[in-house]
Amino acid sequence: MSAQEYNPNELLICTASRLMPDNTTAFIGTGIPMLAASLAQKMHAPNLVAIFEFGGTGAILEDLPLAVGERRTFHRAVAASGILDIVETAQRGFIEYGFLGGAQIDPFGNLNSTVIGDHDKPKVRLPGSGGGNDVGSHCWRTIAIMRHDSRRFIEKVDFITTPGYLAGPGAREEAGLPPDTGPYRVVTTLAVMGYHPESKRMMLLATQPGVTVEEVVENTGFELLMAEEIESSPPPTAEELRILRDEVDRDRYYI
Amino acid sequence: MSAQEYNPNELLICTASRLMPDNTTAFIGTGIPMLAASLAQKMHAPNLVAIFEFGGTGAILEDLPLAVGERRTFHRAVAASGILDIVETAQRGFIEYGFLGGAQIDPFGNLNSTVIGDHDKPKVRLPGSGGGNDVGSHCWRTIAIMRHDSRRFIEKVDFITTPGYLAGPGAREEAGLPPDTGPYRVVTTLAVMGYHPESKRMMLLATQPGVTVEEVVENTGFELLMAEEIESSPPPTAEELRILRDEVDRDRYYI
Amino acid sequence: MKVLQEGVGPLIQPPDLNAFRSWNREKPKAMIDKRMTEAEAIDQFIQDGDYIGTELYGTVRCPQSLVNEIVRQGKKDLRVAGQGVYELDILLGAQVVKALDITYIGMEVYGVSNCLRREVESGRVETCVEWSNAGIAWRFKAAAMGVPFLPVRSMLGSDTLRYSSAKVIECPFTGDLMCLLPALILDVGLIHVHRADKYGNAQIDGITGFSAELARASKRLIVSAEEIVPTEEIRANPEKTIIPYYLVDAVVEAPFGSHPGEMCYIYERDEDQIKEWIEASKTEETTRAYLEKYIFGVRDHAAYRQLVGEKRLADLKAMVPGR
Amino acid sequence: MKVLQEGVGPLIQPPDLNAFRSWNREKPKAMIDKRMTEAEAIDQFIQDGDYIGTELYGTVRCPQSLVNEIVRQGKKDLRVAGQGVYELDILLGAQVVKALDITYIGMEVYGVSNCLRREVESGRVETCVEWSNAGIAWRFKAAAMGVPFLPVRSMLGSDTLRYSSAKVIECPFTGDLMCLLPALILDVGLIHVHRADKYGNAQIDGITGFSAELARASKRLIVSAEEIVPTEEIRANPEKTIIPYYLVDAVVEAPFGSHPGEMCYIYERDEDQIKEWIEASKTEETTRAYLEKYIFGVRDHAAYRQLVGEKRLADLKAMVPGR
């Protein structure tokens, strides 16, 4: 694939990568977030502090981790501990960004990765929370990376595995979740979305290259708020793609 | 000092040592219990599992530890962790024996090491609980090592730092302490005492060599129950004294 | 204690910490040679219906040779605490699981677990009680501490809590709402480590996941190790001991015990066999064939290693870079 | 949440975990060179009236050069969490402590602390709130977990609980009574370690006491280290890191930083100086003379080492046997 062309995963990785500032802590889950974190370290954020659920803190992501507890998640790390040390670090307020995924998302950013249908008689049994609920409860800002279609972006998820803004403004705090936390961005191959500061409903911030606002709306199963100015998310740069292909994922596990 | 003679500390150490069976766990505090544990390992209990508050488990007490967190408390240990791992091990029921001390003890084995007089306007401010309360709450059987006089063995302690049987039968359980735990022995230079199985009051089991029952009673500020048969605690043996003097405390820190 | 909300999920294993204390008191504190084979350990320590748990992360450091033996011996009606990938998938594929305290069972980048879907959607797994990953680990931690619950801020506001057996209360110090997680005491815990001595003192290299917590939350604990080492090696580095011997009931020497999963610094994951399983797990029939080939068709873990092949195992070792 | 009993002791430091979260969010996550002298660290990070805590066991691994500097700079009205021997005795001897969450302050085999007696019996220490050793460590652990309390079975039934600020409740799962310990968040934590890099990544050899817990319970953390090592040495053994850099505000290189206490594997305790202190601490006058000699009379920790003498320090090193 040439530097001008890129595949959907490459787009997601580059878009997510740019959301990670230097000298910040980020709770990194399996898949796209690992590639995004590795790319970020090699681009604009050499001191991004990657934190992995099962104990790695501050690893240098020279080689791409393929799973959340494998040796690359604590390669030349500053600390290698265990899951509770990590999640308690998040619970104590030290982790700024967290990455999430799911089968369904609603306008308030609530995520479902547990069941389609009724919990006790599910149509589809999904894997369950994993670390998702922990990340969504404790990290200051969570970023969901999703496939974008109207069966996934729906008015009401079948099961709130991981809390977004729950029923809306104030609901997280009422439930006892830490104040000032919650969903921050949703990244898809069609768009980048945020949340309205008052209503806490999902809001279109930017479209991905070549995607129209109409396409985004069409593929979203609920009313999407619109930012005053909808930006065009810039495509992956030649430099990003080069590093991604030649350094981050040399073995093409994901791209 | 010849093998036939011995000083009060040597007597206490030997008496306490014999209370530690082989292949048992014992929570060892600073001072006499350390010497007793070391002596026990070199005599009848080579596999006594000495557990030290700040993290040492199963050390080989070749050299005498002088304080509860120093290197000899985890010398060739099977594990070296921290205070919470140790006390949680006790809380989980793994530690059979625990050693205690105090400035005052009452008929139910409650111990005071906090204040003489009123807490908020103390006549004498003592060090406080330290690990005492933890040991007395969680270990199955506690052994108090005390100086024996009627100002220390009193009807009511000024402050219950460490719970014995509190107000009597059932009181520990009512307070929420783990069932079937509590004071087991009191060792002094005058006697060895236990507790009556029903009334949970202190009971004379044996006198130390050369001490009469009357002397024990005289030096006890409350009514001491009497075992059906009061034994004579055998004096330190020549072998015990030799090991104590030549191996355990070569440098005469304590003896 | 006023409870503001409680999950509808049943307590699959009740948190009786006093009974746990009495149990722990009776465990032998002597240094006993506990070495045995997978077959002996599973036969002696796991009963049908037991509540079991495995410690691992993804496919890393799985007690796989032990799990295979559970299936081989036809243990059934197991209740299982799960965060798992391949190893819980194998148990589900073998249809020996009746109830789950579940946080995550899936194939990571390969997606959902076909076996979990079949077993839960068919109702063969009768009960799924939901938790987060840390939620399960904290439940082990509570048991390890010897207390019946821990307060946390995970799970609040979610259906994960609603379908758990957690409870919500108001903190009597601050007024904050807290999720209380009940202690989880395992009948049998299974952990694979880098090295252990014959008594059970065990050490792990790299991150330690929730091994300390699960080991301390288990009434019976089976440790498998890549290598059995002399006790002097343990005593030379007591800081590294994460499981002291008195927690352990059986020590199984299991080189490549985590295969097809990996063991950091020793061997890498066998991606080909994982993919073979992903394919096989798609139908009950191919699942049975896979189990036949890798579990029922081999006598023990040594025979399993032979089946996988010396060369392939050597290759997985060779893939490990310097530290 | 129905409280069945509560201690009469005040909460010297309230457990506001939400404020702690916000504080922690603002702490820099960048790798910044945090090396400074004792004088700079104490001046910059400790204010009069602060709530401080030291981590150690007995006289082992005391942050003594930092404590000496606190006295030297005349910090006062400190609130202190204490389990301590020599180092808290020095603070009490210098009359800079106003309130104590106390578990043990004494001289171990040498008996009660004269300074504690004088300061408490005179009322200069205005408040003593009682806890057990593990009680204080669990309070740090609660803060480290980010929760406002932990349930435990220590302290139940005792006056230690009655004069604490713990509360007793009934477990909503089992009905067992539990003692709830409020989280303890320090304004400033002081820890001495074997090695740290310039960013604050810190490692300890041997047992670790409650260092992990106290470090994570501190709003500001001053780490002193026997040795500053290159970060690559830390990254080569990340399992050994007990304090990651982002918790740390100041890194002070302090060889013999624990003197007259000991540092396992490096130097032994200076029994002669401990005895000198025990004698000196008997009256206010001799206490002042001791402080004059060892603290006010020397400019800094280097001058202190010179006063103690190279030969004596070398002897303390020589007393350490092989491992």
Side-chain angles (χ1 to χ4, degrees):
Chain A
M1 206 169 279
S2 84
Q4 274 63 48
E5 296 172 59
Y6 48 85
N7 67 29
N9 272 352
E10 288 174 331
L11 177 64
L12 285 175
I13 293 160
C14 293
T15 310
S17 163
R18 294 171 194 164
L19 290 171
M20 299 189 212
D22 202 13
N23 294 314
T24 318
T25 45
F27 199 115
I28 305 295
T30 300
I32 304 285
M34 287 179 178
L35 289 106
S38 178
L39 178 60
Q41 278 194 355
K42 290 166 195 275
M43 291 283 303
H44 60 283
N47 301 303
L48 173 72
V49 187
I51 296 182
F52 293 94
E53 188 179 11
F54 288 93
T57 295
I60 295 180
L61 303 172
E62 284 162 0
D63 289 322
L64 182 66
L66 297 177
V68 83
E70 62 115 306
R71 64 176 170 78
R72 297 174 190 89
T73 64
F74 52 92
H75 173 66
R76 294 178 61 217
V78 295
S81 56
I83 178 174
L84 290 185
D85 182 49
I86 296 300
V87 180
E88 290 164 8
T89 296
Q91 191 163 249
R92 218 162 63 241
F94 269 104
I95 308 185
E96 188 65 27
Y97 293 96
F99 286 87
L100 294 167
Q104 299 177 330
I105 191 168
D106 75 11
F108 295 111
N110 300 304
L111 285 159
N112 176 18
S113 59
T114 303
V115 286
I116 305 296
D118 177 65
H119 177 267
D120 295 337
K121 289 259 170 226
K123 204 168 136 242
V124 183
R125 173 68 219 200
L126 302 169
S129 158
N133 181 285
D134 302 310
V135 169
S137 297
H138 305 301
C139 293
W140 290 99
R141 297 169 163 185
T142 55
I143 297 169
I145 300 178
M146 300 283 296
R147 284 164 65 180
H148 203 146
D149 64 52
S150 54
R151 288 174 310 110
R152 292 167 186 274
F153 283 66
I154 57 179
E155 192 59 45
K156 195 176 175 320
V157 295
D158 291 9
F159 190 98
I160 300 180
T161 307
T162 298
Y165 290 108
L166 297 171
R172 281 179 72 90
E173 289 76 7
E174 259 168 60
L177 289 164
D180 299 324
T181 55
Y184 172 67
R185 290 287 182 272
V186 184
V187 174
T188 75
T189 47
L190 300 185
V192 176
M193 286 142 289
Y195 294 84
H196 187 278
E198 264 91 56
S199 75
K200 305 295 187 191
R201 294 182 74 100
M202 203 184 290
M203 183 166 74
L204 182 61
L205 301 180
T207 53
Q208 293 283 22
V211 178
T212 63
V213 170
E214 290 65 37
E215 280 176 88
V216 177
V217 168
E218 225 164 73
N219 283 283
T220 303
F222 52 79
E223 194 197 340
L224 196 57
L225 304 185
M226 297 289 151
E228 266 182 47
E229 204 160 332
I230 312 266
E231 300 191 12
S232 266
S233 186
T237 66
E239 175 72 355
E240 283 172 328
L241 289 171
R242 187 191 63 74
I243 290 178
L244 186 54
R245 292 168 186 173
D246 295 354
E247 297 182 25
V248 172
D249 193 10
R250 282 186 300 270
D251 299 325
R252 296 291 185 277
Y253 282 105
Y254 291 89
I255 61 176
Chain B
M1 205 170 280
S2 84
Q4 273 61 48
E5 295 173 59
Y6 48 85
N7 67 29
N9 271 353
E10 288 174 332
L11 176 66
L12 285 175
I13 293 161
C14 292
T15 311
S17 163
R18 295 171 194 164
L19 290 172
M20 300 190 211
D22 203 13
N23 293 314
T24 318
T25 44
F27 199 116
I28 305 294
T30 300
I32 304 285
M34 286 180 178
L35 288 106
S38 178
L39 179 60
Q41 278 194 356
K42 290 166 195 277
M43 290 283 304
H44 60 282
N47 301 303
L48 173 72
V49 187
I51 297 182
F52 294 94
E53 186 178 14
F54 287 93
T57 294
I60 295 181
L61 303 172
E62 285 162 358
D63 290 320
L64 181 67
L66 298 177
V68 83
E70 61 115 307
R71 63 176 169 78
R72 298 174 189 87
T73 65
F74 51 93
H75 173 66
R76 295 177 60 217
V78 297
S81 56
I83 178 173
L84 291 184
D85 182 49
I86 296 299
V87 179
E88 289 164 8
T89 296
Q91 192 164 249
R92 219 162 64 241
F94 269 104
I95 308 187
E96 188 65 27
Y97 294 96
F99 287 87
L100 294 167
Q104 300 177 331
I105 191 167
D106 75 11
F108 295 111
N110 299 304
L111 285 161
N112 174 17
S113 59
T114 302
V115 285
I116 305 294
D118 177 66
H119 177 267
D120 294 339
K121 288 258 171 227
K123 202 167 135 243
V124 183
R125 174 68 219 199
L126 300 169
S129 158
N133 181 286
D134 303 310
V135 168
S137 296
H138 306 301
C139 292
W140 290 100
R141 298 169 162 185
T142 55
I143 297 169
I145 299 178
M146 299 283 294
R147 284 164 67 180
H148 202 146
D149 64 51
S150 54
R151 287 174 310 110
R152 290 166 187 278
F153 283 66
I154 56 178
E155 193 58 49
K156 194 175 176 319
V157 296
D158 291 9
F159 190 98
I160 300 180
T161 307
T162 298
Y165 289 108
L166 296 171
R172 281 179 72 90
E173 291 75 6
E174 259 167 61
L177 290 164
D180 300 324
T181 54
Y184 172 65
R185 289 288 182 270
V186 183
V187 174
T188 74
T189 47
L190 300 185
V192 176
M193 286 142 288
Y195 293 85
H196 187 278
E198 265 90 56
S199 75
K200 304 296 187 193
R201 293 183 75 100
M202 203 184 291
M203 184 165 73
L204 181 61
L205 301 180
T207 53
Q208 293 282 24
V211 177
T212 64
V213 171
E214 289 65 37
E215 280 175 90
V216 176
V217 168
E218 223 164 75
N219 283 284
T220 304
F222 52 80
E223 194 196 341
L224 196 56
L225 304 185
M226 296 289 149
E228 268 181 47
E229 204 160 334
I230 311 262
E231 299 190 13
S232 266
S233 185
T237 66
E239 176 72 355
E240 283 173 327
L241 289 171
R242 189 190 63 72
I243 291 178
L244 186 54
R245 293 168 186 173
D246 296 354
E247 296 182 26
V248 172
D249 194 10
R250 280 187 300 272
D251 299 326
R252 297 291 186 278
Y253 282 105
Y254 290 89
I255 62 175
Chain C
M1 184 134 159
K2 198 174 153 203
V3 171
L4 306 176
Q5 187 196 344
E6 41 192 338
V8 300
L11 263 172
I12 298 179
Q13 180 90 323
D16 184 345
L17 272 298
N18 287 334
F20 192 40
R21 276 184 60 90
S22 298
W23 176 277
N24 291 336
R25 185 183 196 181
E26 297 308 321
K27 285 193 90 153
K29 309 304 181 301
M31 301 278 242
I32 300 161
D33 188 343
K34 296 166 189 160
R35 284 173 298 179
M36 55 185 85
T37 62
E38 281 92 353
E40 291 165 333
I42 300 301
D43 178 56
Q44 193 171 337
F45 295 113
I46 299 194
Q47 313 299 320
D48 290 348
D50 269 357
Y51 193 111
I52 70 167
T54 50
E55 195 269 335
L56 45 80
Y57 12 99
T59 57
V60 182
R61 207 162 48 66
C62 304
Q64 192 58 44
S65 74
L66 298 173
V67 167
N68 290 349
E69 184 61 29
I70 291 174
V71 171
R72 194 176 288 121
Q73 291 190 16
K75 302 291 179 189
K76 59 180 197 289
D77 298 334
L78 299 174
R79 297 167 294 146
V80 179
Q83 195 263 117
V85 180
Y86 176 81
E87 94 297 355
L88 293 194
D89 225 30
I90 290 288
L91 288 179
L92 288 162
Q95 306 190 339
V96 300
V97 179
K98 196 178 65 178
L100 280 171
D101 275 311
I102 184 173
T103 163
Y104 175 93
I105 301 176
M107 302 313 293
E108 298 187 289
V109 294
Y110 297 113
V112 300
S113 152
N114 297 307
C115 296
L116 178 71
R117 284 202 57 183
R118 276 201 304 275
E119 293 302 293
V120 173
E121 292 166 21
S122 70
R124 277 193 296 268
V125 168
E126 295 167 9
T127 312
C128 280
V129 186
E130 308 292 328
W131 309 90
S132 69
N133 268 4
I136 291 263
W138 274 316
R139 293 188 64 196
F140 291 139
K141 175 68 184 173
M145 289 177 68
V147 296
F149 67 87
L150 276 180
V152 305
R153 306 180 87 175
S154 282
M155 293 171 56
L156 291 163
S158 71
D159 289 329
T160 305
L161 191 151
R162 201 171 147 224
Y163 286 90
S164 75
S165 45
K167 298 180 195 285
V168 179
I169 56 96
E170 199 176 280
C171 167
F173 295 98
T174 63
D176 293 326
L177 299 194
M178 287 288 133
C179 169
L180 302 192
L181 301 171
L184 179 46
I185 300 166
L186 297 175
D187 291 324
V188 189
L190 308 166
I191 299 190
H192 187 59
V193 301
H194 288 77
R195 76 193 64 83
D197 68 11
K198 62 185 175 186
Y199 308 120
N201 293 300
Q203 302 185 338
I204 290 170
D205 295 333
I207 55 171
T208 52
F210 53 105
S211 52
E213 292 81 10
L214 181 137
R216 287 158 178 74
S218 298
K219 288 170 72 178
R220 295 184 289 271
L221 182 62
I222 305 177
V223 166
S224 59
E226 288 291 324
E227 191 190 1
I228 308 290
V229 299
T231 296
E232 271 317 304
E233 197 171 312
I234 301 287
R235 290 192 184 274
N237 288 291
E239 301 109 306
K240 289 267 318 170
T241 304
I242 195 143
I243 302 174
Y245 74 96
Y246 59 77
L247 299 171
V248 177
D249 295 276
V251 178
V252 176
E253 183 165 17
F256 289 98
S258 177
H259 183 272
E262 66 259 53
M263 198 72 187
C264 87
Y265 307 130
I266 307 187
Y267 50 90
E268 293 282 88
R269 176 156 107 156
D270 188 337
E271 207 64 34
D272 288 345
Q273 191 171 324
I274 296 280
K275 282 182 190 157
E276 186 182 342
W277 166 247
I278 303 281
E279 273 311 304
S281 70
K282 285 182 178 163
T283 74
E284 288 197 40
E285 199 187 333
T286 46
T287 295
R288 274 196 302 272
Y290 180 98
L291 298 179
E292 194 53 52
K293 174 178 172 190
Y294 285 108
I295 297 179
F296 298 113
V298 289
R299 199 180 51 254
D300 56 16
H301 186 57
Y304 171 91
R305 284 198 306 270
Q306 227 167 2
L307 173 68
V308 173
E310 258 180 52
K311 162 128 187 16
R312 186 147 143 211
L313 294 177
D315 287 349
L316 296 173
K317 268 201 164 164
M319 285 165 68
V320 175
R323 233 177 133 157
Chain D
M1 182 132 159
K2 196 174 154 205
V3 171
L4 305 176
Q5 187 197 344
E6 40 192 339
V8 299
L11 265 171
I12 299 179
Q13 180 89 324
D16 184 345
L17 272 298
N18 287 334
F20 192 40
R21 276 183 61 90
S22 298
W23 176 278
N24 290 336
R25 184 183 197 181
E26 296 308 321
K27 284 193 91 153
K29 309 303 181 302
M31 301 277 244
I32 299 161
D33 187 344
K34 297 168 189 158
R35 284 174 296 179
M36 55 186 84
T37 62
E38 281 94 351
E40 290 165 334
I42 300 302
D43 178 55
Q44 193 171 338
F45 294 112
I46 299 194
Q47 312 299 320
D48 290 347
D50 269 356
Y51 193 112
I52 71 166
T54 51
E55 195 269 334
L56 44 82
Y57 11 98
T59 56
V60 182
R61 208 164 49 67
C62 305
Q64 192 59 43
S65 74
L66 298 174
V67 168
N68 290 348
E69 184 62 27
I70 290 174
V71 172
R72 195 176 288 122
Q73 291 191 14
K75 302 291 179 188
K76 59 180 196 289
D77 298 332
L78 299 173
R79 297 167 294 147
V80 179
Q83 197 263 113
V85 180
Y86 176 82
E87 94 298 357
L88 293 194
D89 226 31
I90 290 289
L91 288 179
L92 288 163
Q95 307 191 337
V96 300
V97 180
K98 196 178 64 180
L100 282 170
D101 275 311
I102 183 171
T103 163
Y104 175 92
I105 300 177
M107 302 313 293
E108 297 188 291
V109 293
Y110 297 113
V112 300
S113 152
N114 298 305
C115 296
L116 178 71
R117 285 201 58 183
R118 275 202 303 276
E119 292 303 292
V120 174
E121 293 166 22
S122 70
R124 276 193 296 268
V125 168
E126 296 167 8
T127 312
C128 280
V129 185
E130 307 293 327
W131 309 90
S132 70
N133 267 5
I136 291 263
W138 273 316
R139 293 188 63 196
F140 290 139
K141 176 67 184 174
M145 290 177 66
V147 295
F149 67 87
L150 276 180
V152 305
R153 304 180 89 175
S154 283
M155 294 172 56
L156 290 163
S158 70
D159 290 328
T160 306
L161 191 150
R162 199 169 149 227
Y163 286 91
S164 75
S165 45
K167 298 178 194 284
V168 178
I169 57 98
E170 199 176 280
C171 168
F173 295 97
T174 64
D176 293 326
L177 298 195
M178 286 289 134
C179 169
L180 302 192
L181 300 171
L184 178 47
I185 300 166
L186 297 176
D187 290 324
V188 189
L190 308 166
I191 299 189
H192 187 60
V193 301
H194 288 77
R195 76 194 66 82
D197 69 8
K198 63 185 174 186
Y199 308 120
N201 292 300
Q203 302 185 336
I204 289 170
D205 295 335
I207 54 171
T208 52
F210 52 105
S211 52
E213 293 81 9
L214 181 137
R216 286 157 178 74
S218 298
K219 288 170 71 178
R220 296 185 289 270
L221 182 62
I222 305 177
V223 166
S224 60
E226 287 291 324
E227 192 190 1
I228 307 291
V229 299
T231 296
E232 272 317 304
E233 196 171 313
I234 301 287
R235 291 192 184 273
N237 288 290
E239 302 110 306
K240 290 264 321 168
T241 304
I242 194 141
I243 303 173
Y245 74 95
Y246 57 78
L247 299 171
V248 177
D249 296 275
V251 179
V252 176
E253 183 165 18
F256 289 98
S258 179
H259 184 273
E262 67 259 54
M263 199 71 188
C264 86
Y265 307 131
I266 307 187
Y267 50 89
E268 293 280 88
R269 175 157 108 156
D270 189 338
E271 208 64 35
D272 289 343
Q273 190 171 326
I274 296 279
K275 283 182 189 158
E276 185 182 342
W277 166 248
I278 302 281
E279 273 310 304
S281 71
K282 285 181 179 165
T283 73
E284 288 199 40
E285 198 187 333
T286 46
T287 296
R288 271 195 304 272
Y290 181 98
L291 299 178
E292 193 54 50
K293 174 179 173 190
Y294 284 108
I295 298 180
F296 297 114
V298 290
R299 200 179 52 253
D300 56 17
H301 186 57
Y304 171 91
R305 284 197 306 271
Q306 225 166 4
L307 173 68
V308 173
E310 259 180 52
K311 160 121 190 20
R312 185 148 144 211
L313 294 177
D315 287 348
L316 296 173
K317 269 201 163 162
M319 286 164 67
V320 176
R323 233 179 131 157

